[in-house]
């Protein structure tokens, strides 16, 4: 089976293995190649390029030649010589790259892979022990995959020997950093076998290692190795789904209760990766893992803190999870990470902690607790960070906190506004989204608005409408509303921005509903000034608004109706909107279940009812019953608008009746 100079002989020839004289070669399993892994990451690992660029040492050490001699003994020797040579190989530091090259250069990888096919457990164990060390090298990983080593390693997971399964899992943990290897492990049925390794008694997990028996330590090591392999395999969405179907969720919940950090870190890493999937997010919550994640968040181990904080960041999109984090006491350790200046250079940790705080701050109850910890002050201190992802999370958290008046004051007192405005020059779209939202909330505070005006923030926010990201455009348009409404001289402010209104009206051609809705809200605010409304009318804004009326999106309906209400009362816009057949579609907005849609719709209908022909159209469209119902609303604006519209319709009817009576008299 093992040829000279590292060459592989044809598998179909029945021949003896030098390592195991009585063992005949068998065909390796063929891996199906036709299923797609398009959901996986394109690159295998961050260290890949680093390994490729490492050159061999200028001077070859003696160990290089000694290792190659041992590989030759493995090739040509009998079973005993093979075992002895493998044991001697382990005396060298195989994590050193030149020693790895020594094995690779003489064809030792082919030999080691061939040994995995033999029935001798000592030979297999020795080969796997060597492979587990040398597969830290990216080139060696790829070679193992090319040599069809994955099916052989997966087959060893069926062994009854715990140490064999442990070393096989350790090897897979390294080799699976290659994208193709992850695919092969799944296709060979390796994921379910690795998941089975995690099935370990809770008593072992909760007992210190020095108090465990030898057999219990073997179970623990096997679970740790399986966790490491699954952690790597979880880079593929296909693999995550297979892991879920194999029943990994309750096993992960059990392992998270372990006192052994070397087991908890890889399983927490797997939880972190899987928590990006909605099905896993629900399972993590229902299995009660949040409390355990929070417990480990208090650990002194930095790597574990990184995994825990990032897992909470990914899971806390759900309101139930946010409540569980608060109830488990998870907010305090997250804030303590922000306070600790010694970990500021650890970007993954800061990114995870700020992201988790951002998600948790979406719940009002969490903001109350965060306020007690003075979180706004600590978040403002991070606005000088150079990492875009950290800044995105920080501004996201601030945007949630400043929904409350006291936190707007806190940002102002912490001198956070200049730092936020300075970041508006960034090109990172997610950061700009959150910045626009945060400034929108801060602009609701008059004192903060004065500072924003001094910093020329309105111009910078307006320029975000040119951004290519629809979400940035939408958030910027929403931010313009309070900026214009609360500015010292809002009308002059808008007109001082060259091309500002042309830019806003031009966005009404967008294909994105969120952008159209936000722009309509901005137009409704800008049009409150008659001079600005005249400019908007010259830009044919009502024709563009008329093109949007046949929509079923409630948010767009609400803001579009507000824009129509603001623009209808200038010149002959009311009659023109009727001619453009906007009345009947707007009447249908009253069928929405959202009371905010009713409010702006009634306001639009009141303005449109100033034209007699529009009143007739409204009446024919059956608007009266809806208006009568709106009069009973508790919202005063809705009441007044509905009553005003009914008055206009009734006045037209009375005039028509008087006219008919006059004709009869004549």
């Amino acid at each position: 089976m093992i040829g000279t100079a590292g060459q592989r002989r044809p598998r179909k020839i029945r021949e003896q293995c030098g390592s195991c004289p009585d063992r005949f070669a068998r065909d390796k399993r063929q891996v199906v190649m036709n299923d797609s892994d398009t959901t996986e990451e394109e690159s295998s690992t961050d260290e890949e390029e680093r390994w490729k660029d490492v050159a061999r040492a200028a001077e070859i050490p003696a160990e290089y030649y000694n290792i190659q001699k041992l590989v030759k003994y493995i090739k040509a020797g009998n079973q005993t010589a093979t075992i002895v040579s493998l044991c001697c190989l382990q005396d060298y530091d195989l994590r050193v790259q030149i020693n790895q090259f020594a094995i690779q250069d003489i064809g030792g990888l082919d030999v080691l892979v061939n040994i995995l096919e033999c029935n001798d457990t000592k030979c297999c164990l020795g080969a796997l022990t060597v492979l587990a060390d040398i597969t830290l090298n990216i080139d060696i990983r790829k070679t193992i995959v090319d040599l069809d080593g994955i099916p052989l390693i997966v087959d060893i997971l069926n062994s009854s020997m715990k140490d064999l399964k442990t070393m096989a899992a350790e090897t897979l943990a390294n080799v699976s950093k290659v994208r193709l290897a992850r695919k092969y492990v799944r296709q060979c049925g390796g994921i379910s076998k690795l998941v089975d390794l995690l099935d370990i008694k809770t008593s072992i997990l909760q007992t210190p290692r020095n108090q465990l028996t030898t057999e219990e330590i073997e179970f623990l090591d096997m679970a740790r190795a399986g966790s490491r392999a699954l952690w790597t395999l979880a880079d593929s969405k296909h693999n995550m789904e297979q892991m879920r179907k194999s029943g990994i969720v309750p096993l992960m919940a059990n392992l998270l209760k372990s006192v052994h950090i070397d087991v908890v870190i890889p399983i927490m890493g797997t939880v972190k990766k899987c928590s990006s999937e909605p099905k896993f997010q629900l399972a993590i919550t229902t299995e009660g893992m949040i409390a355990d994640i929070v417990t480990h968040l208090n650990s002194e181990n930095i790597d574990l803190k990184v995994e825990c904080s990032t897992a909470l960041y990914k899971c806390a999109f759900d309101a139930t999870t946010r409540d569980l984090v608060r109830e488990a006491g998870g907010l305090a350790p997250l804030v303590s990470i922000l306070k600790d200046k010694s970990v500021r250079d650890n970007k993954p940790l800061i990114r995870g902690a700020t992201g988790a705080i951002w998600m948790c701050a979406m719940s009002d109850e969490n903001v109350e607790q965060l306020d007690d910890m003075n979180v706004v002050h600590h978040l403002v201190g991070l606005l000088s960070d150079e990492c875009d992802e950290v800044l995105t999370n920080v501004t996201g958290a601030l945007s949630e906190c400043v929904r409350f008046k006291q936190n707007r004051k806190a940002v102002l007192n912490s001198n956070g506004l200049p730092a936020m405005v300075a970041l508006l020059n960034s090109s990172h779209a997610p950061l700009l989204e959150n910045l626009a939202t945060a400034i929108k909330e801060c602009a609701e505070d008059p004192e903060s608005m004065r500072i924003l005006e001094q910093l020329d923030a309105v111009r910078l926010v307006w320029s975000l409408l040119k951004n290519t990201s629809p979400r940035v455009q939408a958030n910027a348009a929403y931010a313009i509303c309070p900026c214009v409404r609360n500015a010292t001289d809002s009308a002059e402010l808008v007109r001082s921005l060259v091309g500002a209104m042309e830019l806003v009206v031009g966005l009404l051609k967008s294909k994105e509903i969120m952008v159209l809705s936000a722009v309509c809200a901005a137009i409704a605010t800008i049009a409150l000034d008659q001079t600005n409304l005249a400019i908007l009318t010259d830009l044919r804004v009502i024709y563009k608004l008329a093109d949007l009326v046949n929509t079923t999106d409630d948010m767009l309906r609400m803001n579009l109706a507000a824009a129509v209400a603001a623009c209808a009362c200038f010149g002959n816009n009311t009659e023109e909107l009727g001619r453009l057949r906007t009345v009947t579609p707007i009447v249908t907005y009253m069928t929405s279940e959202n009371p905010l849609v009713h409010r702006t719709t009634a306001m639009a209908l009141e303005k449109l009812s100033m034209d007699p022909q529009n009143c007739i159209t409204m009446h024919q469209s059956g608007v009266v019953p809806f208006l009568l119902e709106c009069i009973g609303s508790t919202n005063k604006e809705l009441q007044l608008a509905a009553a005003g519209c009914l008055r206009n319709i009734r006045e037209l009817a009375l005039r028509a009746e008087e006219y008919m009576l006059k004709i009869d008299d004549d």
Side-chain angles (χ1 to χ4, degrees), residues 27 247 304 359 466 502 537 611 623 653:
D27 289 338
L304 185 53
M359 292 299 106
K466 299 177 183 178
E502 289 88 341
T537 302
D611 178 64
V623 75

Side-chain angles (χ1 to χ4, degrees), residues 43 49 66 69 181 198 217 240 244 491 500 603 618 620 657:
S43 60
E49 295 300 325
N66 293 337
K69 286 180 183 179
L198 307 185
I217 289 176
M240 282 193 280
R244 189 184 65 82
M603 292 166 61
M618 289 179 199
Q620 291 174 344
E657 185 178 350

Side-chain angles (χ1 to χ4, degrees), residues 163-195:
D163 51 356
L164 262 182
K165 290 194 284 189
T166 298
M167 294 314 301
E170 290 283 2
T171 306
L172 286 175
N174 293 333
V175 179
S176 295
K177 291 178 181 178
V178 177
R179 179 187 177 195
L180 191 58
R182 297 195 288 269
K183 179 178 179 180
Y184 285 178
V185 171
R186 181 179 70 253
Q187 292 175 340
C188 294
I191 290 179
S192 58
K193 296 173 185 177
L194 288 168
V195 170

